[in-house]
Amino acid sequence: VLITAYSSNHPEEIAVARECRKKGAFVVAVTPFSEDGDASGIRLYKEVDVAFNTYSPESWGVVPIEGQDRKVCPTTGVIGNLILWLIVSQWTEVMARSGEFPYFWKGFFMKNGREYNNSVRPYFEVRGW
């Protein structure tokens, strides 16, 4: 199970991680380990088997706005997505080399997303993944 999170102390995501581990799943998190330097208490990265630190707490911004006291556009989403897709690409390579090429669902909002999903559904149904 892979959980990507903008915050390391979101109760629902921590609950999901705990429940999945109870059921025997290997759980990975992509999340900042702290919120503005505070990593104390219950945190998602402490509840999973492997965690990737985005080093991007939600409130950190990178774009200054004149007249505002803090920057906007936190990097946590960008870094989290980058880490997620690096993991997916590595997993895809391993699967392809083993002869079991993975099929992915596309978002319906993407060009030909629904058509693509319909075309790979039979493969998914045969393999179950």
Side-chain angles (χ1 to χ4, degrees):
V1 173
L2 176 62
I3 302 170
T4 59
Y6 296 119
S7 170
S8 64
N9 63 354
H10 191 269
E12 284 93 3
E13 290 163 346
I14 292 168
V16 167
R18 288 176 176 168
E19 185 62 27
C20 290
R21 287 189 77 201
K22 262 196 248 181
K23 292 180 178 182
F26 186 83
V27 182
V28 177
V30 176
T31 185
F33 283 13
S34 68
E35 299 297 317
D36 296 327
D38 178 14
S40 63
I42 298 170
R43 298 289 177 172
L44 178 60
Y45 76 93
K46 297 176 184 178
E47 303 292 332
V48 299
D49 296 294
V50 174
F52 294 88
N53 189 352
T54 64
Y55 294 98
S56 300
E58 186 173 3
S59 64
W60 288 5
V62 294
V63 177
I65 303 293
E66 190 174 322
Q68 298 294 318
D69 61 347
R70 69 181 213 181
K71 295 177 181 177
V72 298
C73 190
T75 59
T76 189
V78 174
I79 299 301
N81 284 334
L82 176 63
I83 294 169
L84 166 71
W85 287 112
L86 289 169
I87 292 168
V88 169
S89 66
Q90 181 62 43
W91 175 75
T92 301
E93 181 183 347
V94 169
M95 294 299 293
R97 270 199 257 142
S98 71
E100 292 290 344
F101 193 82
Y103 297 96
F104 300 96
W105 297 118
K106 281 188 174 182
F108 291 147
F109 62 89
M110 296 176 74
K111 182 177 181 181
N112 300 320
R114 190 176 304 271
E115 293 82 3
Y116 172 82
N117 289 347
N118 289 338
S119 72
V120 299
R121 180 177 296 283
Y123 301 105
F124 174 81
E125 289 176 352
V126 168
R127 293 197 302 199
W129 52 273

